């Protein structure tokens, strides 16, 4: 979809809902997703919501800053 969007100069966002976690987010972003819907990956025993959000932000930043 990312390639098709670019080739045809289309204007739409790609959203992924399901299976999004800090471990999978970099690959999802590199594949072209613009919007990540995150649910249960944010809630872990022993980790605050703020820590989970930061971990997700770090994972996405890693993908955006890599070739």
């Amino acid at each position: 979809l990312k390639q098709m969007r670019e080739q045809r100069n289309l204007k739409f966002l790609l959203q992924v809902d399901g299976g999004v976690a800090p471990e999978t987010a970099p690959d999802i972003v590199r594949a072209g997703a613009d919007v990540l819907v995150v649910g249960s990956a944010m809630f872990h025993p022993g980790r605050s919501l703020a820590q989970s959000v930061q971990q997700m932000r770090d994972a996405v930043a890693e993908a955006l800053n890599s070739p």
Side-chain angles (χ1 to χ4, degrees), residues 28-39:
I28 294 169
V29 170
R30 283 191 287 267
D34 302 298
V35 179
L36 306 181
V37 179
V38 183

Side-chain angles (χ1 to χ4, degrees), residues 1 5 12-18 20 28 32-37:
L1 286 175
R5 176 177 63 178
F12 60 86
L13 297 176
L14 295 173
Q15 176 177 309
V16 174
D17 184 350
V20 180
I28 294 169
D34 302 298
V35 179
L36 306 181
V37 179

Side-chain angles (χ1 to χ4, degrees), residues 1-2 13 22 33 37 39 41 44-45 47 50 58-61 63:
L1 286 175
K2 176 185 176 183
L13 297 176
V37 179
H44 286 278
R47 188 169 62 204
D58 292 344
V60 170

Side-chain angles (χ1 to χ4, degrees), residues 22 38-57:
V38 183
S40 61
M42 293 289 97
F43 303 99
H44 286 278
R47 188 169 62 204
S48 72
L49 182 57
Q51 290 170 319
S52 293
V53 169
Q54 188 59 54
Q55 187 178 18
M56 184 62 70
R57 286 180 175 162

